[in-house]
Amino acid sequence: MPAGGAGERRSARILEANQPNSSRQGRGRETAGLGKAVDSGLLESVRESMMAEAGAVTPSRVAAAVQATGKLLGTAGSLAAVERISAELNGLGPLQELTRDPAVTDIFVNAPDSVWVDRGRGIEPVSVLFDGEAQLRALACRLVAAGGRRLDDGSPCVDVRLAGGYRVHAVLPPVSTSGTLLSVRIRRERVFTMAELGSGGMFGPGVHAVLEAIVARRLSFLISGATGSGKTTLLSTLLGLCSAEERLVLIEDASELNPVHPHVVALESRHGNLEGGGAVDLGELVRQALRMRPDRLVVGECRGAEVRELLTAMNTGHSGGGGTIHANTAAAVPARLNALGALAGLSPEAVRLQAASALDVVIHVGRTVRGREIQCVGLIDDGPEGLTVVPALGESGATGPAWPALAARLGMDPEGVL
């Protein structure tokens, strides 16, 4: 569960204590599938006990406080009370139970009575309710404080990473016209194997073999797609295929990659403090990573000027690297690279020369009615029309015009059945 230092706990307590009485009423109702409802009076009594003493809010302290109330709840009732109160004080509140579903990757709160989740089949509503806007805002502020930042009128849009693998994004009114908005992305510690991704419908046996060959032959690649399409999931799995003798250096804005590999070094960017100092961006991390002798350099997401450093690194002998990039299609990746290169002061011609030499393959993933799927594997080509991505494999493993060239680079039979 998300946890912070003493200062963060004090901030959380102040936020909870300042909630209007009206927002505290009705908290005894059943939410998030916790089973038997927890009495609101018990919740307030335990809350006051926790706030009266210094120290972290741990399940053992909550259990002791519940027992100290003298209420006879029974074993099941006591466990439910400890779970609900712990979530209210030190977790995701009414959203905590949703995180126990291993299929849930994202949680979205649009209003106190509008909570949605993504289980890989598209966004769907769930029957989780907040007592009102005050409770929702207090939770958002507490989570952001636990991440070492502040959420208020002066800073109404904040993104933080919390312990436990949660990435939280919150927006306050009036930037949000409908009230507090909360988005929670859940990083699962368990990484899928290639076989599991294949059985889940992301790719077929032929594409499976091509992906493994791309890693084994040390082709540099970008995984493109929209938010939530499975880019990070696929990248983590592919990195797990790298040789155990290789040193992987991962660079991310918010840590999400967790490949199953014995030699991984992870670097994460840092936001500036209230005065704007102390920031460490992805570009700086790429420069530092080059001094760490990486065998493979991976940028979790190219979203800005760091594309310059990434392309430069891949042009200095660091083959086999990769990253992810937001793009509508594989064919749109060159235009996206040009746009990011412009942020770094690179001309389209400079981006073309760098990318043509640095990158080999683009793997595009998308969301369909069937789930997340690899929709295209394409080769980077620098031709008369400039930098393009020529399809080698399409959906269901159908071959494209670049397949013979890709097969030759991978040491595969272009006439083989995929």
Side-chain angles (χ1 to χ4, degrees), residues 264-309:
V264 176
V265 177
L267 303 176
E268 184 179 41
S269 65
R270 186 176 69 184
H271 296 282
N273 55 28
L274 296 179
E275 290 76 31
V280 181
D281 60 18
L282 292 179
E284 175 62 25
L285 292 182
V286 171
R287 290 189 289 273
Q288 297 303 321
L290 293 176
R291 300 182 176 95
M292 301 172 71
R293 215 233 75 180
D295 290 305
R296 294 185 190 253
L297 182 64
V298 179
V299 177
E301 183 177 332
C302 292
R303 63 172 68 182
E306 67 276 356
V307 71
R308 174 182 56 196
E309 281 74 22

Side-chain angles (χ1 to χ4, degrees), residues 330-334 360-363 376-383 385-394 399-406:
V333 169
D360 300 302
V361 177
V362 171
I363 304 166
C376 178
V377 178
L379 269 182
I380 296 285
D381 180 63
D382 185 18
E385 298 180 357
L387 196 68
T388 59
V389 176
V390 184
L393 296 175
T399 58
W403 168 239
L406 178 60

Side-chain angles (χ1 to χ4, degrees), residues 185-386:
R185 170 158 286 190
I186 304 171
R187 172 190 176 186
R188 299 298 181 183
E189 292 301 322
R190 180 177 175 274
V191 179
F192 292 106
T193 64
M194 291 290 286
E196 289 172 330
L197 292 182
S199 63
M202 180 171 276
F203 47 75
V207 176
H208 182 159
V210 169
L211 295 176
E212 290 187 336
I214 288 173
V215 176
R217 293 279 178 151
R218 296 186 63 85
L219 270 63
S220 297
F221 60 90
L222 282 179
I223 300 177
S224 61
T227 300
S229 59
K231 301 186 299 297
T232 302
T233 298
L234 178 59
L235 181 56
S236 285
T237 301
L238 291 179
L239 293 177
L241 302 177
C242 297
S243 169
E245 299 176 353
E246 295 179 324
R247 174 178 169 89
L248 311 184
V249 179
L250 314 181
I251 300 168
E252 297 180 86
D253 185 48
S255 180
E256 293 182 314
L257 292 170
N258 53 340
V260 180
H261 191 276
H263 197 161
V264 176
V265 177
L267 303 176
E268 184 179 41
S269 65
R270 186 176 69 184
H271 296 282
N273 55 28
L274 296 179
E275 290 76 31
V280 181
D281 60 18
L282 292 179
E284 175 62 25
L285 292 182
V286 171
R287 290 189 289 273
Q288 297 303 321
L290 293 176
R291 300 182 176 95
M292 301 172 71
R293 215 233 75 180
D295 290 305
R296 294 185 190 253
L297 182 64
V298 179
V299 177
E301 183 177 332
C302 292
R303 63 172 68 182
E306 67 276 356
V307 71
R308 174 182 56 196
E309 281 74 22
L310 176 63
L311 294 178
T312 300
M314 289 184 177
N315 274 303
T316 56
H318 293 85
S319 62
T324 67
I325 189 170
H326 281 96
N328 295 328
T329 63
V333 169
R336 180 70 171 152
L337 289 174
N338 280 332
L340 297 180
L343 298 177
L346 296 177
S347 67
E349 179 66 11
V351 172
R352 180 184 68 82
L353 293 173
Q354 290 271 53
S357 175
L359 299 174
D360 300 302
V361 177
V362 171
I363 304 166
H364 187 78
V365 292
R367 304 180 62 155
T368 69
V369 293
R370 298 178 297 274
R372 299 175 173 93
E373 298 180 351
I374 289 182
Q375 297 179 319
C376 178
V377 178
L379 269 182
I380 296 285
D381 180 63
D382 185 18
E385 298 180 357

